[in-house]
């Protein structure tokens, strides 16, 4: 891994680099909610990507209850990780994506550890996530970060308790 992984709140400064990575190295459905737009990275889908991220500029206390972070390695944007308030107090849900060239290098686990620190820093007690059993990369990252995993019909539910000792790097 070239350089330390750090998180930076998504803002107007890093939104275009984030969109560039998404368009070049990810599928739209992997990085944003589905929208009515032509297939692929059409102009309408690019604008929807910008709108989706701008809606969360208010952070955990903003209208979406989400804080989006650009994942940077050596100053380069590689993907995004977010935390979103859950109904249960002290709990946030997370989701992440990385550009194809950044996968399989430990960046996801390092980014999730940074997110766990950020969540603990704002008083959260647990981070939860959902993925599918066939998303081997996501399952591995969650396991590396100490998540308790529960499978249910092709879905994987993960919970990381922030009260316990964080897993060793």
């Amino acid at each position: 891994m070239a350089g330390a992984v750090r998180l930076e709140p998504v803002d107007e400064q890093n939104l275009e680099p984030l969109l560039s990575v998404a368009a070049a190295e990810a599928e739209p459905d992997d990085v944003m909610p589905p929208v009515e737009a032509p297939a692929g990275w059409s102009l309408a889908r690019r604008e929807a990507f910008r709108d989706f991220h701008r809606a969360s500029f208010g952070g955990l206390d903003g209208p979406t209850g989400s804080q989006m972070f650009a994942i940077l390695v050596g100053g380069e944007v590689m993907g995004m990780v977010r935390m979103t308030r859950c109904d249960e107090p002290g709990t946030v849900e997370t989701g992440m994506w990385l550009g194809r060239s950044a996968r399989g290098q430990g960046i996801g686990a390092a980014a999730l550890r940074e997110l766990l620190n950020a969540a603990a820093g704002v008083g959260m007690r647990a981070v939860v996530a959902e993925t599918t059993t066939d998303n081997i990369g996501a399952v591995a990252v969650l396991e590396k970060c100490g998540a308790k995993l529960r499978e249910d019909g092709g879905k994987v539910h993960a919970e990381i308790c922030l009260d316990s000792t964080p897993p060793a790097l």
Side-chain angles (χ1 to χ4, degrees), residues 106-127:
I107 296 169
L112 182 54
R113 284 188 195 100
E114 290 296 316
L115 183 95
L116 297 176
N117 290 336
V122 294
M124 296 299 148
R125 293 189 311 274
V127 175

Side-chain angles (χ1 to χ4, degrees), residues 3-66:
V5 172
R6 62 184 188 86
L7 305 184
E8 196 175 85
V10 174
D11 60 18
E12 289 298 340
Q13 302 303 306
N14 56 32
L15 184 56
E16 289 307 311
L18 186 64
L19 174 55
S20 294
V21 171
E25 298 196 32
E27 296 305 317
D29 291 345
D30 295 340
V31 301
M32 61 186 275
V35 293
E36 287 296 320
W41 283 102
S42 61
L43 288 176
R45 198 169 306 268
R46 288 169 186 260
E47 201 49 46
F49 179 94
R50 290 182 187 101
D51 292 345
F52 170 65
H53 287 82
R54 285 180 178 133
S56 295
F57 281 5
L60 289 178
D61 296 323
T64 65
S66 285

